[in-house]
Amino acid sequence: DWLLQGIIEPVFNAHFSNFRVERADKIDVPGMIDSQIINRLLDADLVIVDMSFLNANVFYEMGIRHMKQRPIIHMYRASEKIPFDVAPYRAIPFSYSHPDDLSTAQAALRSTIVEVIKPGFQVENPITRARGLVELEQHATPSQQVLLDELRSLSARISAIEAKKTQNE
């Protein structure tokens, strides 16, 4: 409720009144909850997700939206850690510790919305990245293949270093 009422609704009411803000657990229409949510995920012009509390449903819903390759904005409580598979992608932290925290998150959300609703905005998420890599691998020139091989090698080395670091912690 804090995120919706303190950050999301004020931003949309003040700057994006052409959007209808609807939270998945507040859908009043009778029917199957899962199909209602999935249809909204597939059809909505924009989705904002709260990754706080590592709610499995939220990550399932994010995956659907990522597959659809439609705009999605990730948000999370600043005191929490983002899961590794979505951590490289920009997300808006929010907090309720100080009154300025709400206005900071509102400003970040507003500027992000402005960017994602621009014509020609390119969605980038784990799925678009994976699909792009598959396409690149299928159509890579010899010089691009050399670069791909080097990137794979570097990635494997970084993963090994990170795994070793995690074991030592």
Side-chain angles (χ1 to χ4, degrees):
D1 289 340
W2 276 97
L3 175 59
L4 179 66
Q5 295 171 13
I7 300 170
I8 295 172
E9 286 178 341
V11 169
F12 279 90
N13 291 340
H15 306 287
F16 307 100
S17 59
N18 56 320
F19 281 85
R20 180 173 50 93
V21 175
E22 181 178 48
R23 194 166 79 184
D25 65 341
K26 301 292 183 186
I27 297 171
D28 292 330
V29 179
M32 295 291 296
I33 294 169
D34 58 349
S35 63
Q36 290 175 342
I37 292 171
I38 290 168
N39 282 320
R40 282 167 171 79
L41 288 167
L42 296 172
D43 297 336
D45 291 329
L46 174 63
V47 169
I48 298 171
V49 297
D50 179 6
M51 297 186 293
S52 305
F53 308 112
L54 301 178
N55 182 332
N57 290 341
V58 170
F59 288 93
Y60 177 81
E61 293 159 5
M62 278 175 56
I64 292 170
R65 189 66 179 189
H66 287 173
M67 275 301 289
K68 185 69 175 171
Q69 298 181 17
R70 300 283 310 272
I72 185 170
I73 297 173
H74 302 158
M75 297 187 75
Y76 69 100
R77 290 180 67 159
S79 60
E80 296 184 22
K81 194 170 184 173
I82 300 174
F84 76 95
D85 52 350
V86 290
Y89 298 90
R90 293 192 186 278
I92 299 171
F94 62 91
S95 176
Y96 315 116
S97 301
H98 188 275
D100 290 345
D101 294 340
L102 291 178
S103 59
T104 299
Q106 288 172 357
L109 179 58
R110 179 177 184 243
S111 63
T112 302
I113 294 168
V114 166
E115 291 302 316
V116 302
I117 64 173
K118 283 183 179 175
F121 173 75
Q122 293 291 314
V123 172
E124 185 179 8
N125 63 48
I127 293 171
T128 60
R129 184 173 184 274
R131 296 302 301 160
L133 280 173
V134 167
E135 262 187 51
L136 180 59
E137 288 171 351
Q138 290 173 347
H139 304 289
T141 64
S143 58
Q144 290 171 330
Q145 191 59 52
V146 169
L147 290 173
L148 281 172
D149 293 342
E150 286 299 315
L151 287 172
R152 281 190 202 101
S153 173
L154 286 171
S155 180
R157 293 166 78 188
I158 290 170
S159 293
I161 292 168
E162 288 173 342
K164 188 173 183 179
K165 181 183 170 196
T166 302
Q167 288 175 350
N168 292 336
E169 290 179 348

